[in-house]
């Protein structure tokens, strides 16, 4: 497919943005191939999601086609946030391929804050491997304290370390059940 068919012409001199200002808030995402991939995204927010048993990768940042190929005006992946998410996985499912840390100039403008990473089959190996960014305030290797993983109940127990330990976000109002988030909010989709 030609670039013209994939990306219709825009105003002369204007930047082309593949994905902009998308909000993925408060979702329960079970058994996705790749949990989250910022590919050609600009200004997107992925927050307060509970991601369970991804089987390919946990998180990746790709530059998209920004600044490469036939159209250098395509903006590269930049200014995205991954905040307050719980990622509960098996290291044996994702191995060492969970991140694809490309080297591109706008990577530093993306950010990660207060996420919880838990490898159920190897808690000591829960820390993100090869993650190209620092996850400020992250918890790794700490069981999030779901009510019943085997039964598919991903609500948090009252003594969960994820309860009321997230970063307040203006974009948040209610959790997946419609309950108001605390201040500070819990990590994940369910208060």
């Amino acid at each position: 497919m030609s670039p013209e068919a994939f990306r219709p012409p825009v105003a002369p001199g204007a930047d082309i943005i593949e994905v902009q200002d998308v909000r993925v808030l408060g979702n329960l995402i079970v058994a996705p191939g790749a949990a989250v991939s910022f590919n050609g995204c600009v200004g997107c927010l992925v927050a307060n999601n509970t991601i369970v048993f991804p089987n390919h990768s946990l998180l990746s940042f790709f530059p998209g086609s920004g600044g490469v190929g036939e159209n250098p005006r395509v903006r590269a992946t930049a200014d995205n946030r991954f905040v307050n998410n719980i990622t509960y996985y098996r290291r044996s499912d994702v191995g060492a391929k969970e991140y694809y840390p490309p080297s591109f100039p706008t990577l530093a403008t993306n950010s990660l804050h207060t996420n919880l990473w838990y490898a159920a089959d190897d808690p000591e190996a829960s820390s993100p491997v090869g993650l190209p960014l620092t996850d400020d305030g992250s918890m790794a290797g700490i069981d999030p304290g779901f009510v019943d993983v085997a039964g598919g109940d991903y609500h948090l127990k009252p003594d969960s370390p994820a309860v009321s330990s997230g970063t307040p976000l203006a974009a948040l109002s209610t959790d997946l059940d419609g309950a108001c988030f605390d201040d500070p909010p819990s990590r994940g989709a369910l208060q």
Side-chain angles (χ1 to χ4, degrees), residues 94-155:
V94 297
K97 60 186 177 190
E98 62 260 13
Y99 308 108
Y100 301 90
S103 174
F104 59 98
T106 61
L107 182 60
T109 68
N110 297 285
S111 63
L112 293 93
H113 299 282
T114 55
N115 297 290
L116 189 151
W117 309 89
Y118 186 69
D121 61 345
D122 190 359
E124 290 190 20
S126 295
S127 292
V129 175
L131 186 62
L133 298 165
T134 300
D135 188 347
D136 298 323
S138 74
M139 291 182 187
I142 299 171
D143 190 320
F146 293 136
V147 170
D148 183 8
V149 173
D153 186 346
Y154 302 109
H155 288 84

Side-chain angles (χ1 to χ4, degrees), residues 28-32 35 50-55 86-89 146 149 154:
L28 174 59
I29 305 168
V30 180
T50 298
I51 303 162
V52 183
F53 298 126
N55 56 30
I86 295 174
T87 304
Y88 187 98
Y89 66 103
F146 293 136
V149 173
Y154 302 109

Side-chain angles (χ1 to χ4, degrees), residues 7-81:
R7 293 187 188 89
V10 295
D15 283 345
I16 298 168
I17 298 175
E18 295 176 311
V19 179
Q20 182 175 17
D21 297 330
V22 170
R23 302 289 180 256
V24 180
L25 303 172
N27 296 283
L28 174 59
I29 305 168
V30 180
V36 175
S37 179
F38 291 101
N39 185 355
C41 299
V42 176
C44 297
L45 172 63
V46 176
N48 284 87
N49 298 286
T50 298
I51 303 162
V52 183
F53 298 126
N55 56 30
H56 183 267
S57 63
L58 300 180
L59 177 63
S60 61
F61 288 86
F62 292 100
S65 57
V68 298
E70 299 175 24
N71 197 338
R73 292 183 322 174
V74 176
R75 289 210 27 214
T77 298
D79 305 322
N80 301 294
R81 296 180 297 155

